[in-house]
Amino acid sequence: MLTEIETEVVVAGAGPTGLMLAYELALAGVGTLVLEQLPQRIEQVKGGGIQPRTAELLESRGLLEPLLERAVPRDGVGGHFAALPVPLDCTPWRTRHPTPIAIGQWEIEEVLEERATAAGARVLRGAAVSGVSADDEGVVVTADGTRVRAQYLVACDGGHSTVRALLGLPFPGRPGTHQAVLADLRLSAVSSLVPQQLGHMSTLMRQAGGYWAMTVPLGGDRYRVTFGRADDQVEIDRGSPVTPEEITTALQTLYGPETVLGAVDNASRFSDATRQLEQYRAGRVLFAGDAAHIHPPLGGQGLNLGIQDAFNLGWKLAATVQDRAPDGLLDSYHLERRPVGAQVLHHTSAQRVLADPRPSEDVVALRDIFVDLLRLPDANRHIAGLMSGLSLGYPLPGGHPLTGQRLPDADLVTETGPVRLSALFGSGHAVLLDLAGAVPAGLGLPPRVDLVRAVTDDDLGAAALLIRPDGYVCWASDSSDVLPGDLLAAVGDHLQRSAPDA
C-alpha cells in the first residue's frame, strides 16, 4: 500500500546540493520534501572543500560558522590549478575568505540538514526514486512505498541520476579515460613521506612505482587518500569493491613499507568522465549538481558548483511556486547556470592535461610555461577568480557595470548600528541597499525585498543597488535621486511581480 504525500517541491537526493536547495526553499516558506535512497548518511570526506565564493554565500545565510567549527586546520595558503606549485591569491577579489576551507562532505550535509529541517523541510531516508511522471500541472514521484505529488521536482541525485534516467534524458559528453580510488583511511603507522600538515595541494601529491596519490591529513590517524595507476592499466569495474589489499599495495609503493593501513572507513572508485545536460529544466523537473554536470575532480569544484546551483535556483523556484515570479524567472536558472557549468567542464579538462600523471615531454614544457604565468599577478588573479568562483557574474540586462556582479562583504552602518553586508541576507530576501539617500521615502516594495539605508567607507561603486537573494546585483544607480518607477520596474523585471490581489 502506497503512502500518499503532497508537498510543493520534492527534491531527489540529500547531498549538499539537495539539502542546500531544501534550506533555501524552506526559508522562503515553500513546502519541501527531500527523498534520499540511503537509509543513513555515510561519513565520507568526498569533495572535502569549500571555495571562497561558496563560503561567502553560506555566510550570507548564517551557515558558515557551524561549518568552520568542524573544519580541518590547514595552512593559510590559496587554492590551486591542476596541482601546480603556485598558490592562487584571492585577495585582489576583496573577499573575507581568500583560502579554501577543508571539511568533510558528510559534515556539510549534517549542518545543512539540521538547518533545512529546522526551517520546515522534511527529509525521508531509505526512499529510492523508482518512478517519475510529470505534466503541466505537476509531478508524481514514486519512491519505496511512497507516492509524492508536488508542483515541481528537482533532481539532485548525482552523476548517475535516477530521475534523469527515468525521463530518458541524454547526458552528452566524454566517457572517462582514467580510474582512481577515493578512500577515507586510518593509518596505524606512517613513513616520513606521508604528509602531516594540510597545506597547498602541490605538497600533498606524490608519484612512485607507477602510482600517483594525493594524501590529505585529517587529524590524528585519519587521512583522505586519492590514488591511481600512472601507467596503462586494465579497466576495473566501477562497481567492484576497493579491497584493503589494493590500498595497501598503493600505499606501500608510494610511501614505503613503514606505512601501515589500520582501517578503511569507506572507499569508492571514480573516473574523469565529463558530461553535461543540454537543458537544466524539463518542464516541471529541474536538475542541479552532479545530476546536471560531471567533470574530473580537479581544483575542488564539484561540491561548490552544486551548492551555487542551489543558491541560484532556490529563490527563483520559491517565487514561482508562490506565484510571485516575473515571466521567465525560472527559465533563467538554466540560462545562467548552464554556462557556469560548461566553464567548469572546460577548465577541469585543461587541468586534466596539466595534471596527467604520465605527462609527455610537451606537457612537461606546458606545465613549466603555465607555472611561470601563474606567478604573474594578473594571470594569478584571473585563475584565482575562476577557481574560487569570485569572478563569476551573470549577463543580466542593464547598463550599470555592477549589474550581474557580486559585491564584496562591506562594513555598513545603518540606523540600528554597524552591520556587514552579508548579514542582510540571512532571511533569503532580496536587498535594496541605499547608500546615498537615493531611494524616495514611502516607496512600496513587494514582500521579500528589504530596503536598507546605510553608509559605508567602502567604495561599492553605486549610490543604490538592488541585490538578489543569491548576492548578485540586478540593478544599480549612481544617481542620488532614483526615480520610483525605474526602481519598481527593476524589481518586477528581476525579482517578483506584484501579487495578483495587490
Side-chain angles (χ1 to χ4, degrees):
M1 181 177 177
L2 288 175
T3 300
E4 300 279 352
I5 298 177
E6 290 196 9
T7 189
E8 290 178 304
V9 175
V10 58
V11 177
T17 302
L19 293 171
M20 187 71 247
L21 179 63
Y23 179 72
E24 289 290 280
L25 292 169
L27 195 61
V30 173
T32 305
L33 174 66
V34 181
L35 301 175
E36 170 53 52
Q37 65 176 341
L38 295 176
Q40 60 187 15
R41 181 179 298 108
I42 298 175
E43 295 187 4
Q44 193 170 15
V45 175
K46 293 185 75 172
I50 298 172
Q51 293 284 1
R53 180 54 184 155
T54 307
E56 290 182 342
L57 291 169
L58 292 167
E59 186 167 46
S60 74
R61 296 294 191 267
L63 296 169
L64 185 61
E65 190 60 35
L67 293 172
L68 289 175
E69 292 173 358
R70 299 165 176 244
V72 179
R74 70 187 299 272
D75 291 346
V77 295
H80 72 96
F81 187 84
L84 296 174
V86 182
L88 300 179
D89 181 9
C90 288
T91 54
W93 291 99
R94 298 172 66 188
T95 179
R96 295 179 189 265
H97 308 287
T99 60
I101 299 164
I103 181 173
Q105 180 171 311
W106 71 272
E107 300 206 76
I108 298 173
E109 292 173 359
E110 189 169 83
V111 169
L112 293 180
E113 184 169 345
E114 288 174 356
R115 295 300 182 92
T117 54
R122 293 176 291 168
V123 178
L124 182 60
R125 293 189 172 272
V129 173
S130 56
V132 175
S133 61
D135 56 30
D136 292 341
E137 302 301 317
V139 295
V140 176
V141 180
T142 304
D144 287 334
T146 301
R147 183 161 56 205
V148 184
R149 299 179 182 274
Q151 294 183 41
Y152 290 91
L153 162 65
V154 186
C156 305
D157 54 343
H160 299 283
S161 171
T162 298
V163 174
R164 192 181 63 232
L166 288 170
L167 295 180
L169 297 177
F171 200 32
R174 294 185 294 174
T177 58
H178 300 291
Q179 280 192 7
V181 170
L182 176 63
D184 294 343
L185 310 175
R186 297 178 186 272
L187 299 181
S188 58
V190 297
S191 74
S192 60
L193 297 173
V194 176
Q196 293 301 302
Q197 189 169 1
L198 184 52
H200 189 259
M201 190 60 64
S202 61
T203 68
L204 307 177
M205 306 292 294
R206 179 166 172 79
Q207 289 190 48
Y211 283 91
W212 62 267
M214 178 184 70
T215 297
V216 179
L218 302 174
D221 63 350
R222 298 173 57 241
Y223 296 82
R224 185 190 71 179
V225 180
T226 308
F227 71 87
R229 291 295 300 267
D231 53 5
D232 292 331
Q233 59 176 319
V234 177
E235 197 73 10
I236 300 173
D237 182 2
R238 281 279 306 276
S240 65
V242 181
T243 65
E245 292 76 17
E246 180 181 357
I247 295 171
T248 294
T249 298
L251 287 174
Q252 296 197 346
T253 301
L254 286 155
Y255 299 109
E258 311 97 299
T259 301
V260 180
L261 177 64
V264 181
D265 292 337
N266 51 71
S268 59
R269 302 184 193 277
F270 67 91
S271 79
D272 60 347
T274 296
R275 300 185 183 276
Q276 186 178 28
L277 273 176
E278 294 178 347
Q279 296 289 328
Y280 283 17
R281 181 182 180 188
R284 293 274 176 163
V285 182
L286 299 108
F287 294 83
D290 287 354
H293 41 69
I294 60 171
H295 53 81
L298 293 161
Q301 299 295 294
L303 179 150
N304 294 272
L305 187 59
I307 288 179
Q308 291 180 40
D309 284 347
F311 266 93
N312 186 286
L313 176 58
W315 66 275
K316 296 174 179 179
L317 184 53
T320 301
V321 168
Q322 295 170 343
D323 200 27
R324 298 182 283 106
D327 292 343
L329 182 64
L330 189 56
D331 286 330
S332 74
Y333 165 65
H334 164 80
L335 295 173
E336 291 180 1
R337 290 304 296 174
R338 191 180 190 280
V340 176
Q343 183 183 57
V344 171
L345 267 63
H346 188 64
H347 72 65
T348 52
S349 294
Q351 291 182 76
R352 176 165 51 185
V353 174
L354 291 168
D356 190 336
R358 303 166 298 177
S360 66
E361 185 177 342
D362 291 343
V363 170
V364 172
L366 180 62
R367 284 180 180 173
D368 291 342
I369 295 295
F370 213 93
V371 166
D372 289 341
L373 288 173
L374 285 177
R375 292 192 174 116
L376 300 176
D378 286 348
N380 192 293
R381 178 184 184 276
H382 173 75
I383 298 297
L386 188 70
M387 299 299 290
S388 66
L390 295 171
S391 63
L392 169 65
Y394 295 120
L396 303 182
H400 198 280
L402 289 178
T403 303
Q405 303 302 308
R406 64 173 271 278
L407 288 176
D409 187 11
D411 291 306
L412 309 174
V413 179
T414 69
E415 61 181 9
T416 59
V419 65
R420 281 168 50 183
L421 177 62
S422 60
L424 303 180
F425 294 90
S427 63
H429 293 186
V431 172
L432 174 57
L433 182 61
D434 183 0
L435 297 172
V439 178
L443 183 68
L445 291 171
R448 302 193 66 82
V449 181
D450 299 336
L451 172 61
V452 177
R453 300 183 191 272
V455 295
T456 180
D457 292 333
D458 294 320
D459 181 11
L460 293 183
L465 307 105
L466 184 61
I467 311 166
R468 305 190 323 186
D470 58 350
Y472 291 89
V473 176
C474 59
W475 172 90
S477 174
D478 295 329
S479 173
S480 59
D481 188 13
V482 172
L483 296 176
D486 292 345
L487 182 49
L488 292 177
V491 172
D493 289 345
H494 292 286
L495 300 171
Q496 58 178 300
R497 58 183 174 79
S498 300
D501 58 349

